[in-house]
């Protein structure tokens, strides 16, 4: 083939390519190539941890226990004044009215009626009489995202033979109404009342420091991942070393909390606390909720000795 023909062939092929490219530009039909992302993704990236929700939590820093105690004692004093009148216990409606005078409204009519039925065997006698209400415990808890105050009271009566009859009454309320009220068959014989003279509550704020320090020092997500691969065995040497260092008197429940929180105790959210003097002076129970999935929650009760400023135990609630 002569050189002239070769050049003609070259320019012919080049012209065809040029026309083809020009046609593609005009029509917009560009060829597309797709490279699967999985080619670049590693196995670890393909198995991402589930993102757990953040739960509502009580702001413990904003709670002044001494002021809260004063508010509870004011409630008790108002109830005592209302119930000194025998007519206040003549019927369940009268009892309901007395409670309304203190709380503003009663949102638990069934609870009030059940309470009246509980104390009726005593108050039905003319010789029996109401003595007083004492405070056994108090605290706060979350109902949804609303904070309500809780109380445990000791209702004391004298029976016809002059002996004493006690009832334990648990209630919750907010600034507008009495939310719930319930009476037990009998009060704990070892129950110790709380008075305005108790000063131990000044130390309850130390719990927040104790808990925060434990969450900071005892969280270990890397260890949790290793334990998870091995079947979450609490006998693993590294976990036992971690457990040994936590500031808890009875350590049995720590493994369940650590597992539920996936190694990060900052995922435990405070939902309730309750101060009492039973079974020993200066006892407080804190309830923490831990999200274990998008919908499921595990609850743990943390017992705290306010006098010794020590966490005594952690118990998973069923």
């Amino acid at each position: 083939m002569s050189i002239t023909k070769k050049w003609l062939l070259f320019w012919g092929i080049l012209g065809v390519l040029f026309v083809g490219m020009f046609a593609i530009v005009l029509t917009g039909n560009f060829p597309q190539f797709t490279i699967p992302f999985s080619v670049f993704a590693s196995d670890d990236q393909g198995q991402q941890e589930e993102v757990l929700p953040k739960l509502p939590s009580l702001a413990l820093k904003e709670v002044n226990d001494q002021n809260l105690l004063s508010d509870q004692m004011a409630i008790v004093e108002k109830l005592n004044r209302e119930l000194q009148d025998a007519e206040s216990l003549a019927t369940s409606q009268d009892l309901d009215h007395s409670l309304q005078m203190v709380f503003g409204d009663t949102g638990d009519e069934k609870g009030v009626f059940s309470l009246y039925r509980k104390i009726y065997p005593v108050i039905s006698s003319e010789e029996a009489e109401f003595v007083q209400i004492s405070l056994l415990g108090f605290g706060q808890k979350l109902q949804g995202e609303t904070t309500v105050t809780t109380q445990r009271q000791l209702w004391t009566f004298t029976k016809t033979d002059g002996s004493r009859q006690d009832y334990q009454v648990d209630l919750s309320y907010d600034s507008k109404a009495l939310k719930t009220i319930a009476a037990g068959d009998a009060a704990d014989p070892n129950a110790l009342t709380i008075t305005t003279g108790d000063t131990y509550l000044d130390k309850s704020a130390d719990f927040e420091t104790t808990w925060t320090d434990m969450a900071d020092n005892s969280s270990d997500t890397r260890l949790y991942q290793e334990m998870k691969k091995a079947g979450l065995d609490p006998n693993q040497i590294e976990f036992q070393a971690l457990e040994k260092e936590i500031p808890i008197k009875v350590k049995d429940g720590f493994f369940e909390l650590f597992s539920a929180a996936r190694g990060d105790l900052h995922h435990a959210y405070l939902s309730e606390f309750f101060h009492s003097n039973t079974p020993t002076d200066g006892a407080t129970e804190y309830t923490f909720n831990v999200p274990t999935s998008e919908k499921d929650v595990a609850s743990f009760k943390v017992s705290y000795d306010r006098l010794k400023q020590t966490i005594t135990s952690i118990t998973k609630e069923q």
Side-chain angles (χ1 to χ4, degrees):
M1 182 181 295
S2 65
I3 295 176
T4 302
K5 290 183 178 180
K6 289 181 179 180
W7 276 107
L8 288 174
L9 180 62
F10 169 76
W11 286 110
I13 294 173
L14 187 62
V16 171
L17 291 175
F18 178 78
V19 172
M21 289 296 296
F22 185 72
I24 289 174
V25 171
L26 289 178
T27 60
N29 294 324
F30 293 97
Q32 297 183 358
F33 302 93
T34 302
I35 301 176
F37 179 76
S38 58
V39 171
F40 303 102
S42 66
D43 291 339
D44 292 338
Q45 290 174 323
Q47 299 177 352
Q48 295 182 352
E49 282 287 334
E50 178 184 10
V51 177
L52 298 176
K54 185 175 181 179
L55 303 180
S57 180
L58 284 173
L60 207 55
K61 288 183 179 180
E62 300 176 5
V63 178
N64 184 306
D65 290 308
Q66 289 291 352
N67 291 342
L68 190 59
L69 173 59
S70 297
D71 293 341
Q72 307 322 302
M73 296 306 299
I75 292 287
V76 170
E77 290 172 5
K78 289 179 182 178
L79 282 172
N80 276 321
R81 287 196 297 268
E82 287 293 328
L83 299 183
Q84 287 298 331
D85 183 358
E87 293 300 317
S88 65
L89 295 172
T91 66
S92 62
Q93 289 80 10
D94 292 322
L95 174 59
D96 186 82
H97 176 73
S98 297
L99 293 171
Q100 288 184 31
M101 296 299 292
V102 176
F103 296 101
D105 192 10
T106 50
D108 186 9
E109 294 181 359
K110 290 183 178 180
V112 175
F113 182 70
S114 296
L115 168 60
Y116 189 79
R117 288 185 60 185
K118 185 69 66 177
I119 64 177
Y120 183 76
V122 173
I123 63 176
S124 60
S125 172
E126 293 183 359
E127 290 79 13
E129 63 179 10
F130 168 78
V131 178
Q132 69 175 1
I133 294 175
S134 304
L135 184 65
L136 291 175
F138 67 96
Q140 290 184 337
K141 68 178 180 179
L142 286 175
Q143 289 185 343
E145 295 188 3
T146 303
T147 301
V148 299
T149 303
T150 59
Q151 270 196 25
R152 178 165 296 155
Q153 300 173 345
L154 184 69
W155 288 37
T156 302
F157 298 84
T158 55
K159 297 190 291 187
T160 54
D161 61 0
S163 62
R164 172 174 169 167
Q165 177 66 52
D166 290 331
Y167 296 94
Q168 179 176 296
V169 177
D170 290 284
L171 58 86
S172 65
Y173 68 94
D174 60 17
S175 59
K176 297 180 180 179
L178 177 69
K179 309 293 286 186
T180 62
I181 189 166
D185 291 331
D188 183 347
N190 298 317
L192 303 174
T193 59
I194 295 177
T195 68
T196 53
D198 291 323
T199 59
Y200 57 82
L201 286 171
D202 292 336
K203 299 180 179 180
S204 65
D206 294 330
F207 170 79
E208 185 179 12
T209 301
T210 301
W211 180 262
T212 301
D213 289 345
M214 189 180 78
D216 291 342
N217 299 327
S218 302
S219 294
D220 192 333
T221 55
R222 180 196 59 80
L223 174 59
Y224 169 77
Q225 293 297 338
E226 292 180 357
M227 293 177 64
K228 184 179 179 182
K229 293 177 182 178
L232 289 176
D233 183 3
N235 295 317
Q236 185 171 338
I237 295 177
E238 285 190 41
F239 177 77
Q240 289 184 334
L242 174 67
E243 187 179 49
K244 185 178 180 180
E245 297 299 321
I246 60 173
I248 302 176
K249 185 176 180 180
V250 180
K251 306 177 188 291
D252 294 347
F254 178 72
F255 171 71
E256 288 186 297
L257 173 62
F258 184 83
S259 299
R262 303 187 183 187
D264 189 350
L265 302 187
H266 298 95
H267 291 160
Y269 301 93
L270 180 65
S271 64
E272 181 177 357
F273 69 87
F274 187 80
H275 299 309
S276 72
N277 284 346
T278 304
T280 58
D281 289 346
T284 298
E285 290 186 339
Y286 297 88
T287 301
F288 287 86
N289 289 334
V290 179
T292 55
S293 70
E294 187 175 346
K295 296 182 179 180
D296 298 323
V297 173
S299 295
F300 293 85
K301 184 166 290 185
V302 178
S303 299
Y304 183 69
D305 187 326
R306 295 192 303 272
L307 297 182
K308 297 180 180 179
Q309 302 175 43
T310 303
I311 296 175
T312 56
S313 65
I314 296 177
T315 307
K316 184 177 181 180
E317 296 188 310
Q318 301 300 323

